[in-house]
Every structure is written in C-alpha cells, then in structure tokens.
Amino acid sequence: MASLVSTKSSPRVSTGRRKRPLISNVLAKYIMAVTGIIFGLFVFVHMYGNLKVYTGPEHFNAYALFLRTLFEPLFPYEGFLWVFRIVLLACLIGHVGCAFLISSRAKKARGAHKRRGLRGFKSFTARTMLVTGIVLLLFIIFHILDLTAGVAVAPEGFQHGSEAGSFAYQNLIASFQRPLASLVYIVAMVILFLHLAHGLWAAVYDFGVTVSEKVRSWIILIAGVFALIVMLGNISIPIAVLTGIIS
C-alpha cells in the first residue's frame, strides 16, 4: 500500500555558526597602524642618517660603518643590522598583507558602489593608498638593489663595504649622479609623502583618537608636516648631487 506521507525531504536548517576569519578587519587595521607607525619612525631616522652626507665622506662613511658594527662583539659584523632588517621585513609582510585583505573585503562589501564622504586632499590620499603602497614597495626593491646589495641597477663601480671601511658616500654620489636614478628617488619621496601623511592620520584614527573635529584637524596637520619633513629632507640629497653642492 502506498504511503500517505510524502517522502520528499524538507530543506535542512543550518545550525552551525559562520566561521570567523583568522584576522578580523579590526585586528588587520591595528596591525597596519602599528607597522605604519614603525615605518614612519624608521623613514624619519633613515632620513636623519642620510642627511649626514652633507658632513662629508669621512663622517658619512663612519656613520654607515657604525650601523654595521653596532653592538659588537655581542652581535657579529652586520648582525644587529640583519635583526633590524628581519623586523622591518616582518612589518612589511604584515602591513602589505593586511592592506590587501582590507581592500579586498571592502571592495566585496561595497560592490559597485563608490566610497563617499571624503573630499579634497584627504579623499585623494585615501583612495590612492593601495596604489602608492605598491609603488613604494617597488621602490624599496629598487633602493635595496641600488644602494644596499649593489647589484642589477646599482651604479657602475659600486663598492661593497667591510669591517675595514665603508664606501656608502661614494656609492650614494655615484647613484644620484645618474639623472634617471635621482628622478626615481624624487618621485618616490613625493609618493611617500602622500602615503605617510594619510597613513599616520589613519593609524591614530584606528587607535580611537577621534574625540573632536579640532583634534582630528591637528592630527592631520602634524601627520602632514611630519611627512613633508621626511620628503624634503630626502629630496634635497639627489638635488644637491645633481647641482654639484655635494660631490
């Protein structure tokens, strides 16, 4: 006898919770904020060190050698420098990875709708953060090949330093005497200004310092001035080399 009860199965109701992502947007923003501040401090100290080129080859080379022999004999030659590089590399991976993560999630959530509510310079820097970040990443690779590793795009006659001495001054002059290399450096510093100015403001904002419009205005001003100092300090060096002020 045929059954009077339908054998068609009813749809199952999922009772499981949606799996949370390993890195939430909040955590990703904190990682970007912390690593961004670290990079901001690094580029400022790096600029300060670069400006020692104006003191002449002896002092600049001595400064470069000092960085490579720092904390000897606790660390071997360039030991502390490599520890520092590894920390920066870890920060770079975290910063870039979280940037792409947040960007992809925002694009997926936003769909075809464009981001609104931002105007003027703030809007431009915010919308181009991913682009300027990629350009800076490419510049970092170029910079390392040019003045650190001394391979591929490095100037002819690049001299590697050793415990006996450094040739950082001579290598820097040789590099910036090439107009194209100086132009790449100058353009990169302008892009760094745009990225750093907005990035520092965003980092402070992500940490919750948004008590008033006045405070936000001061944060934007301080971040802009900080980024401007870094840009002008670094740009002055290739210009000084091309114009013969330092040689």
Side-chain angles (χ1 to χ4, degrees):
M1 184 175 66
S3 173
L4 299 177
V5 180
S6 174
T7 57
K8 185 179 181 180
S9 60
S10 58
R12 295 182 179 180
V13 178
S14 177
T15 57
R17 294 181 178 179
R18 181 179 293 181
K19 188 177 180 180
R20 293 183 178 181
L22 182 62
I23 299 179
S24 66
N25 284 351
V26 173
L27 178 58
K29 286 187 177 182
Y30 278 141
I31 292 174
M32 287 193 67
V34 172
T35 54
I37 290 174
I38 291 173
F39 285 132
L41 294 174
F42 167 74
V43 295
F44 182 82
V45 173
H46 189 57
M47 176 213 65
Y48 175 78
N50 286 341
L51 291 178
K52 290 183 179 294
V53 72
Y54 289 107
T55 63
E58 183 178 348
H59 288 88
F60 190 73
N61 287 337
Y63 169 71
L65 184 62
F66 162 77
L67 294 178
R68 285 165 171 74
T69 58
L70 193 60
F71 292 124
E72 282 189 342
L74 180 63
F75 287 97
Y77 176 73
E78 287 193 339
F80 180 80
L81 200 58
W82 273 108
V83 171
F84 191 67
R85 288 167 176 167
I86 292 171
V87 171
L88 286 179
L89 179 60
C91 289
L92 182 64
I93 293 172
H95 196 81
V96 173
C98 288
F100 277 103
L101 183 67
I102 292 174
S103 178
S104 61
R105 287 176 179 175
K107 186 177 181 180
K108 184 178 180 180
R110 190 167 60 246
H113 302 285
K114 293 183 178 181
R115 186 177 180 183
R116 301 183 183 279
L118 295 176
R119 298 178 180 178
F121 179 76
K122 184 179 173 182
S123 173
F124 176 76
T125 54
R127 295 179 189 278
T128 58
M129 282 297 283
L130 189 60
V131 175
T132 55
I134 293 173
V135 173
L136 288 174
L137 180 60
L138 294 175
F139 169 72
I140 290 171
I141 296 173
F142 166 80
H143 189 56
I144 291 174
L145 293 176
D146 183 35
L147 289 175
T148 302
V151 298
V153 296
E156 185 178 353
F158 183 93
Q159 303 178 76
H160 291 277
S162 66
E163 293 183 71
S166 171
F167 303 96
Y169 183 93
Q170 290 80 358
N171 292 334
L172 183 145
I173 298 299
S175 177
F176 288 151
Q177 282 178 339
R178 302 172 299 171
L180 182 57
S182 290
L183 179 62
V184 168
Y185 192 84
I186 291 171
V187 172
M189 291 304 103
V190 174
I191 294 173
L192 175 63
F193 162 73
L194 298 173
H195 194 86
L196 190 59
H198 181 80
L200 291 176
W201 172 86
V204 177
Y205 183 88
D206 288 339
F207 282 123
V209 185
T210 57
V211 290
S212 68
E213 185 65 30
K214 185 177 181 180
V215 171
R216 287 195 292 270
S217 298
W218 274 105
I219 292 173
I220 293 173
L221 177 62
I222 293 172
V225 170
F226 182 91
L228 184 64
I229 291 172
V230 172
M231 180 188 74
L232 294 178
N234 283 325
I235 283 180
S236 72
I237 299 174
I239 293 176
V241 173
L242 289 174
T243 56
I245 295 177
I246 54 176
S247 60

